[in-house]
Amino acid sequence: METELPAIAILPVPLSPEQIVIALAVLIPALVIFNLFLISEGIFELIGLRFYQALLVTAGALLGSLIDIPLLSLGEDIIAVNVGGAVIPLFVTLEMVGRGRVSRLKSLAAVLLVSLVAYAAATPVPGLGITMPFYVAPLAGAMTGLLLARGCRAAPGLAYAGGTMGTLLGADILNLANPDVLSALTTSGPTVLSIGGAGIFDGIFVTGVLSVLLAAYAGRGLREKGGVCPQEGGE
């Protein structure tokens, strides 16, 4: 009797417990970052960026969150600006305003309103930096975007501008401009104070993503109910 054998046989490779732990330690963060990348790319498309622009901004924000550019030297201490958490969100906001996707005055109002909330919620912690509950800035950005948007489709862009720039201004810049806060944060020796910086899961980056997401879905719900944004109708 003729026996048919597969051309390629893939056999399970036995792994030791140590190898399984190492594999999971590598795969789980990689999957988290990959999913964050996909979600973020879609979020940036919601505020009007083209696919390739959203791709570049997402990659730049994730990689740039690891890069600090020295801005000001205060003796042994340095105030720096983070590429992913400050520079790229600023460029994205200016691009939206420059192309008229969001109003200049409403963008400024969104930034100022969120900055007040962020300043009130931020807490300077020596040895750690300036901290704030993770939900405050995204909620403030989304609500501000929805309130200021002439039509709800403009809400995600205003939410991004307010959430990112407002947090930078209120939580970082205004606090660092306070000499008492500055001296409290630099008591442990030479310190680099990074505006917008907090590693790969940077607070400003996450704030921008969540602000847009909340404003987009809330705006869609409001349009479907028909009680708000009647000029846009249903979708």
Side-chain angles (χ1 to χ4, degrees), residues 3 6 42 53 55 68-69 75 79 95 99-100 109 139 141 148 161 170 190 202 234:
T3 302
Q53 292 174 321
L55 206 62
D68 289 320
I69 300 174
I79 294 180
E95 196 270 348
R99 292 187 178 275
L139 285 175
L148 291 175
D202 170 67

Side-chain angles (χ1 to χ4, degrees), residues 107-122:
S107 297
L108 180 61
V111 172
L112 292 177
L113 287 172
V114 176
S115 69
L116 294 176
V117 175
Y119 183 74

Side-chain angles (χ1 to χ4, degrees), residues 56-141:
L56 289 174
V57 167
T58 303
L62 290 173
L63 296 176
S65 63
L66 304 174
I67 303 172
D68 289 320
I69 300 174
L71 194 64
L72 183 64
S73 178
L74 302 173
E76 295 182 332
D77 305 312
I78 295 175
I79 294 180
V81 60
N82 186 264
V83 173
V87 176
I88 288 180
L90 176 61
F91 282 157
V92 172
T93 299
L94 292 177
E95 196 270 348
M96 288 192 300
V97 173
R99 292 187 178 275
R101 287 197 288 270
V102 292
S103 161
R104 293 184 181 183
L105 290 178
K106 289 184 178 181
S107 297
L108 180 61
V111 172
L112 292 177
L113 287 172
V114 176
S115 69
L116 294 176
V117 175
Y119 183 74
T123 304
V125 180
L128 184 60
I130 299 171
T131 64
M132 183 171 60
F134 78 94
Y135 54 84
V136 171
L139 285 175

